[in-house]
Short mmCIF file of all heavy atoms in Angstrom, two decimals:
data_model
loop_
_atom_site.label_atom_id
_atom_site.label_comp_id
_atom_site.label_asym_id
_atom_site.label_seq_id
_atom_site.Cartn_x
_atom_site.Cartn_y
_atom_site.Cartn_z
N THR R 1 20.22 1.38 7.89
CA THR R 1 19.06 0.59 8.30
C THR R 1 19.11 0.28 9.79
O THR R 1 18.12 0.46 10.50
CB THR R 1 19.00 -0.72 7.49
OG1 THR R 1 18.87 -0.39 6.10
CG2 THR R 1 17.83 -1.57 7.91
N ILE R 2 20.25 -0.16 10.24
CA ILE R 2 20.40 -0.48 11.66
C ILE R 2 20.27 0.79 12.51
O ILE R 2 19.60 0.80 13.55
CB ILE R 2 21.74 -1.19 11.91
CG1 ILE R 2 21.72 -2.55 11.22
CG2 ILE R 2 22.01 -1.34 13.40
CD1 ILE R 2 23.07 -3.23 11.15
N ALA R 3 20.90 1.87 12.04
CA ALA R 3 20.89 3.11 12.81
C ALA R 3 19.50 3.73 12.90
O ALA R 3 19.20 4.43 13.87
CB ALA R 3 21.86 4.11 12.19
N THR R 4 18.64 3.50 11.92
CA THR R 4 17.29 4.05 11.99
C THR R 4 16.27 3.06 12.53
O THR R 4 15.26 3.48 13.10
CB THR R 4 16.81 4.54 10.62
OG1 THR R 4 16.91 3.49 9.68
CG2 THR R 4 17.58 5.74 10.16
N ALA R 5 16.52 1.78 12.37
CA ALA R 5 15.54 0.78 12.82
C ALA R 5 15.43 0.75 14.35
O ALA R 5 14.32 0.68 14.89
CB ALA R 5 15.90 -0.59 12.30
N ILE R 6 16.56 0.84 15.02
CA ILE R 6 16.54 0.72 16.47
C ILE R 6 15.74 1.86 17.11
O ILE R 6 14.81 1.60 17.88
CB ILE R 6 17.98 0.61 17.02
CG1 ILE R 6 18.59 -0.71 16.55
CG2 ILE R 6 18.00 0.72 18.54
CD1 ILE R 6 20.06 -0.84 16.81
N PRO R 7 16.05 3.13 16.82
CA PRO R 7 15.25 4.18 17.46
C PRO R 7 13.80 4.24 16.96
O PRO R 7 12.90 4.61 17.73
CB PRO R 7 15.99 5.47 17.14
CG PRO R 7 16.95 5.15 16.08
CD PRO R 7 17.18 3.69 16.09
N THR R 8 13.57 3.89 15.71
CA THR R 8 12.20 3.94 15.18
C THR R 8 11.33 2.91 15.88
O THR R 8 10.22 3.22 16.35
CB THR R 8 12.20 3.69 13.67
OG1 THR R 8 13.00 4.68 13.04
CG2 THR R 8 10.80 3.75 13.11
N VAL R 9 11.80 1.69 15.97
CA VAL R 9 11.01 0.63 16.62
C VAL R 9 10.89 0.91 18.11
O VAL R 9 9.81 0.72 18.70
CB VAL R 9 11.64 -0.75 16.34
CG1 VAL R 9 10.96 -1.84 17.13
CG2 VAL R 9 11.57 -1.07 14.85
N ALA R 10 11.96 1.38 18.73
CA ALA R 10 11.91 1.67 20.17
C ALA R 10 10.92 2.79 20.46
O ALA R 10 10.13 2.69 21.42
CB ALA R 10 13.30 2.04 20.67
N SER R 11 10.94 3.84 19.66
CA SER R 11 10.01 4.93 19.91
C SER R 11 8.57 4.52 19.61
O SER R 11 7.65 4.97 20.29
CB SER R 11 10.38 6.16 19.10
OG SER R 11 10.23 5.90 17.72
N ALA R 12 8.36 3.66 18.64
CA ALA R 12 7.01 3.19 18.34
C ALA R 12 6.46 2.33 19.47
O ALA R 12 5.24 2.19 19.62
CB ALA R 12 7.00 2.40 17.04
N ARG R 13 7.33 1.76 20.27
CA ARG R 13 6.88 0.96 21.40
C ARG R 13 6.71 1.78 22.68
O ARG R 13 5.86 1.48 23.51
CB ARG R 13 7.88 -0.16 21.68
CG ARG R 13 8.16 -1.05 20.50
CD ARG R 13 7.41 -2.35 20.58
NE ARG R 13 7.84 -3.29 19.54
CZ ARG R 13 7.35 -3.33 18.32
NH1 ARG R 13 6.47 -2.44 17.94
NH2 ARG R 13 7.76 -4.24 17.46
N MET R 14 7.55 2.82 22.85
CA MET R 14 7.58 3.53 24.14
C MET R 14 6.90 4.89 24.15
O MET R 14 6.35 5.27 25.17
CB MET R 14 9.03 3.70 24.58
CG MET R 14 9.70 2.39 24.95
SD MET R 14 11.32 2.67 25.62
CE MET R 14 12.33 2.11 24.29
N VAL R 15 6.98 5.64 23.06
CA VAL R 15 6.41 6.99 23.02
C VAL R 15 4.92 6.89 22.68
O VAL R 15 4.55 6.29 21.68
CB VAL R 15 7.16 7.85 21.98
CG1 VAL R 15 6.56 9.23 21.88
CG2 VAL R 15 8.64 7.91 22.30
N PRO R 16 4.06 7.48 23.52
CA PRO R 16 2.62 7.33 23.29
C PRO R 16 2.16 7.86 21.92
O PRO R 16 1.34 7.22 21.26
CB PRO R 16 1.99 8.14 24.42
CG PRO R 16 3.03 8.18 25.49
CD PRO R 16 4.35 8.15 24.78
N TRP R 17 2.68 9.03 21.49
CA TRP R 17 2.26 9.55 20.20
C TRP R 17 2.67 8.61 19.07
O TRP R 17 1.89 8.34 18.16
CB TRP R 17 2.88 10.93 19.95
CG TRP R 17 2.46 11.51 18.64
CD1 TRP R 17 1.38 12.29 18.39
CD2 TRP R 17 3.09 11.32 17.36
NE1 TRP R 17 1.30 12.60 17.07
CE2 TRP R 17 2.34 12.02 16.41
CE3 TRP R 17 4.21 10.63 16.94
CZ2 TRP R 17 2.68 12.04 15.06
CZ3 TRP R 17 4.55 10.65 15.59
CH2 TRP R 17 3.79 11.35 14.67
N ALA R 18 3.90 8.13 19.12
CA ALA R 18 4.40 7.23 18.08
C ALA R 18 3.63 5.92 18.09
O ALA R 18 3.34 5.36 17.02
CB ALA R 18 5.89 6.98 18.26
N ARG R 19 3.28 5.43 19.26
CA ARG R 19 2.52 4.19 19.36
C ARG R 19 1.16 4.35 18.69
O ARG R 19 0.66 3.43 18.03
CB ARG R 19 2.34 3.79 20.82
CG ARG R 19 1.68 2.42 20.96
CD ARG R 19 1.48 2.03 22.42
NE ARG R 19 2.71 2.12 23.18
CZ ARG R 19 2.77 2.61 24.42
NH1 ARG R 19 1.69 3.06 25.02
NH2 ARG R 19 3.92 2.65 25.06
N ALA R 20 0.57 5.54 18.82
CA ALA R 20 -0.76 5.77 18.25
C ALA R 20 -0.72 6.05 16.75
O ALA R 20 -1.69 5.77 16.05
CB ALA R 20 -1.42 6.93 18.98
N HIS R 21 0.37 6.62 16.25
CA HIS R 21 0.39 7.09 14.87
C HIS R 21 1.31 6.35 13.92
O HIS R 21 1.19 6.51 12.70
CB HIS R 21 0.76 8.58 14.84
CG HIS R 21 -0.30 9.44 15.44
ND1 HIS R 21 -0.29 9.79 16.76
CD2 HIS R 21 -1.41 9.99 14.91
CE1 HIS R 21 -1.34 10.55 17.02
NE2 HIS R 21 -2.03 10.68 15.91
N LEU R 22 2.26 5.58 14.41
CA LEU R 22 3.20 4.89 13.52
C LEU R 22 2.91 3.39 13.49
O LEU R 22 3.34 2.65 14.36
CB LEU R 22 4.65 5.13 13.98
CG LEU R 22 5.18 6.55 13.91
CD1 LEU R 22 6.61 6.60 14.41
CD2 LEU R 22 5.08 7.10 12.50
N ASN R 23 2.17 2.97 12.46
CA ASN R 23 1.94 1.54 12.31
C ASN R 23 3.17 0.89 11.67
O ASN R 23 4.18 1.55 11.42
CB ASN R 23 0.67 1.28 11.50
CG ASN R 23 0.74 1.88 10.12
OD1 ASN R 23 1.80 2.28 9.66
ND2 ASN R 23 -0.40 1.94 9.43
N HIS R 24 3.09 -0.39 11.39
CA HIS R 24 4.25 -1.10 10.85
C HIS R 24 4.66 -0.56 9.48
O HIS R 24 5.85 -0.51 9.16
CB HIS R 24 3.96 -2.60 10.76
CG HIS R 24 3.77 -3.24 12.09
ND1 HIS R 24 4.80 -3.38 12.98
CD2 HIS R 24 2.67 -3.78 12.69
CE1 HIS R 24 4.37 -3.97 14.08
NE2 HIS R 24 3.07 -4.21 13.93
N THR R 25 3.70 -0.16 8.69
CA THR R 25 4.02 0.39 7.37
C THR R 25 4.78 1.70 7.49
O THR R 25 5.75 1.93 6.76
CB THR R 25 2.72 0.61 6.56
OG1 THR R 25 2.01 -0.63 6.50
CG2 THR R 25 3.03 1.10 5.17
N ALA R 26 4.37 2.55 8.39
CA ALA R 26 5.07 3.83 8.59
C ALA R 26 6.50 3.60 9.10
O ALA R 26 7.43 4.27 8.66
CB ALA R 26 4.30 4.69 9.58
N GLN R 27 6.65 2.65 9.99
CA GLN R 27 8.00 2.35 10.49
C GLN R 27 8.89 1.83 9.36
O GLN R 27 10.05 2.24 9.24
CB GLN R 27 7.91 1.31 11.61
CG GLN R 27 7.22 1.82 12.85
CD GLN R 27 6.99 0.70 13.84
OE1 GLN R 27 7.83 -0.18 13.99
NE2 GLN R 27 5.86 0.73 14.53
N ALA R 28 8.35 0.94 8.55
CA ALA R 28 9.13 0.41 7.42
C ALA R 28 9.47 1.51 6.42
O ALA R 28 10.57 1.53 5.86
CB ALA R 28 8.35 -0.70 6.73
N LEU R 29 8.55 2.44 6.22
CA LEU R 29 8.80 3.54 5.29
C LEU R 29 9.92 4.45 5.81
O LEU R 29 10.80 4.87 5.05
CB LEU R 29 7.53 4.35 5.07
CG LEU R 29 7.61 5.49 4.07
CD1 LEU R 29 7.94 4.94 2.69
CD2 LEU R 29 6.29 6.23 4.03
N ILE R 30 9.93 4.73 7.09
CA ILE R 30 10.98 5.56 7.68
C ILE R 30 12.34 4.88 7.51
O ILE R 30 13.32 5.49 7.09
CB ILE R 30 10.68 5.83 9.17
CG1 ILE R 30 9.47 6.74 9.30
CG2 ILE R 30 11.89 6.44 9.87
CD1 ILE R 30 8.93 6.83 10.71
N ILE R 31 12.39 3.61 7.83
CA ILE R 31 13.65 2.87 7.78
C ILE R 31 14.15 2.73 6.34
O ILE R 31 15.32 2.96 6.04
CB ILE R 31 13.49 1.50 8.46
CG1 ILE R 31 13.20 1.69 9.95
CG2 ILE R 31 14.72 0.63 8.24
CD1 ILE R 31 12.69 0.45 10.65
N SER R 32 13.26 2.37 5.43
CA SER R 32 13.69 2.16 4.04
C SER R 32 14.06 3.47 3.35
O SER R 32 14.94 3.49 2.49
CB SER R 32 12.61 1.44 3.25
OG SER R 32 11.45 2.24 3.16
N THR R 33 13.43 4.57 3.74
CA THR R 33 13.80 5.86 3.17
C THR R 33 15.22 6.25 3.56
O THR R 33 16.02 6.71 2.73
CB THR R 33 12.82 6.96 3.61
OG1 THR R 33 11.50 6.59 3.18
CG2 THR R 33 13.18 8.30 3.03
N ALA R 34 15.54 6.04 4.83
CA ALA R 34 16.91 6.35 5.28
C ALA R 34 17.93 5.45 4.59
O ALA R 34 19.00 5.91 4.18
CB ALA R 34 17.00 6.19 6.80
N ALA R 35 17.60 4.17 4.45
CA ALA R 35 18.53 3.25 3.79
C ALA R 35 18.71 3.60 2.32
O ALA R 35 19.84 3.59 1.80
CB ALA R 35 18.03 1.82 3.93
#
């Protein structure tokens, strides 16, 4: 969870494509799938 949450949230804030396409639900889904 920690290993995937940090890059997922960081990329959703900094990368333009991720900012446009990854809402909070998508971020949570990525993190919870890895966990």
Side-chain angles (χ1 to χ4, degrees):
T1 300
I2 294 168
T4 55
I6 294 169
T8 301
V9 173
S11 66
R13 304 259 189 274
M14 292 186 252
V15 178
W17 180 90
R19 187 181 307 139
H21 292 92
L22 294 179
N23 60 13
H24 294 292
T25 304
Q27 294 172 37
L29 183 62
I30 291 168
I31 295 166
S32 64
T33 301

